[in-house]
Amino acid sequence: DATGHIVEIAPPDDLAHRSSDLSAQEHVIRLQQTRQAVLSGMFRAVEGFLAVDLQYPVLSAGGDFMGAVSMLIRLDDFLPEVIVPKVEGSELDCWLVQADGRVLYDSDPYEIGRDVLRDPLYRSCAGFAEAAGRIMSNGTGHIDYTCGEGQDTVKAVWESVGLHGTGWRMV
């Protein structure tokens, strides 16, 4: 509804979350302020899983904001279905990261939700830390890096993708 509370929910097995207050979520605030469609960044949904939320405003015939229709996308179900078939059987690896550095998808589930710019896991490899900085500060590009002496060189190529004001890097 217009105040950020869940009024209806589907599928019916999620009814326990009806009336949940989402008004403090950044993307809900952005939708209420702009009355424009939004795609959230990754967050932990009230249902307990990592997700992104695509919301479209609902306006009355007179143009008054009444709320939104929301499609909650469970990343651990959706992204592997899209990405894995594209790289399976090749030497390619693909990861998807938000513009703030948070990993949305990686072939290693341990990395999903981590921050490539700040997480200690990534700081142990100076080459990756430098590459991550370049990836996050440039919308498109490529860089070669290694994680130490005698290690294989990794070639990273990336492009920016986005929707409704939310940007991601596909690497």
Side-chain angles (χ1 to χ4, degrees), residues 14 69 87 92 109-110 127 135 143-144 146 149 165 167 169:
D14 283 339
V69 174
V87 298
L92 299 175
Y110 180 71
I135 291 166
I143 188 171
D144 296 344
T146 59
E149 203 170 307
R169 305 283 195 270

Side-chain angles (χ1 to χ4, degrees), residues 10 16 18 35 44 53 56 78 149-150 160:
R18 184 184 285 163
R35 308 293 199 254
R44 186 155 307 276
D53 191 15
Y56 194 84
F78 177 72
E149 203 170 307
S160 292

Side-chain angles (χ1 to χ4, degrees), residues 38-92:
V38 298
L39 177 64
S40 74
M42 180 194 296
F43 68 104
R44 186 155 307 276
V46 295
E47 293 85 352
F49 52 82
L50 292 175
V52 295
D53 191 15
L54 179 60
Q55 292 198 357
Y56 194 84
V58 175
L59 305 176
S60 72
D64 295 324
F65 179 68
M66 298 174 58
V69 174
S70 169
M71 182 172 71
L72 194 60
I73 303 167
R74 187 176 180 145
L75 296 175
D76 59 351
D77 286 340
F78 177 72
L79 291 175
E81 291 289 325
V82 173
I83 296 171
V84 171
K86 303 293 184 197
V87 298
E88 207 166 37
S90 75
E91 293 182 19
L92 299 175

Side-chain angles (χ1 to χ4, degrees), residues 19-167:
S19 78
S20 293
D21 181 359
L22 309 180
S23 64
Q25 294 178 356
E26 183 275 333
H27 59 283
V28 174
I29 294 167
R30 191 166 23 127
L31 176 93
Q32 289 171 330
Q33 291 173 344
T34 66
R35 308 293 199 254
Q36 300 290 318
V38 298
L39 177 64
S40 74
M42 180 194 296
F43 68 104
R44 186 155 307 276
V46 295
E47 293 85 352
F49 52 82
L50 292 175
V52 295
D53 191 15
L54 179 60
Q55 292 198 357
Y56 194 84
V58 175
L59 305 176
S60 72
D64 295 324
F65 179 68
M66 298 174 58
V69 174
S70 169
M71 182 172 71
L72 194 60
I73 303 167
R74 187 176 180 145
L75 296 175
D76 59 351
D77 286 340
F78 177 72
L79 291 175
E81 291 289 325
V82 173
I83 296 171
V84 171
K86 303 293 184 197
V87 298
E88 207 166 37
S90 75
E91 293 182 19
L92 299 175
D93 185 26
C94 180
W95 44 285
L96 189 62
V97 62
Q98 294 183 160
D100 66 359
R102 195 162 181 206
V103 177
L104 296 164
Y105 170 80
D106 191 283
S107 58
D108 179 357
Y110 180 71
E111 295 189 38
I112 296 172
R114 293 183 174 275
D115 184 331
V116 297
L117 299 173
R118 293 168 200 85
D119 193 298
L121 174 72
Y122 303 107
R123 292 181 187 257
S124 62
C125 172
F128 180 82
E130 178 187 346
R134 287 245 328 252
I135 291 166
M136 301 321 304
S137 60
N138 295 288
T140 186
H142 60 88
I143 188 171
D144 296 344
Y145 67 93
T146 59
C147 279
E149 203 170 307
Q151 299 289 319
D152 289 335
T153 298
V154 175
K155 180 176 192 72
V157 178
W158 69 94
E159 185 68 47
S160 292
V161 295
L163 182 66
H164 301 306
T166 297

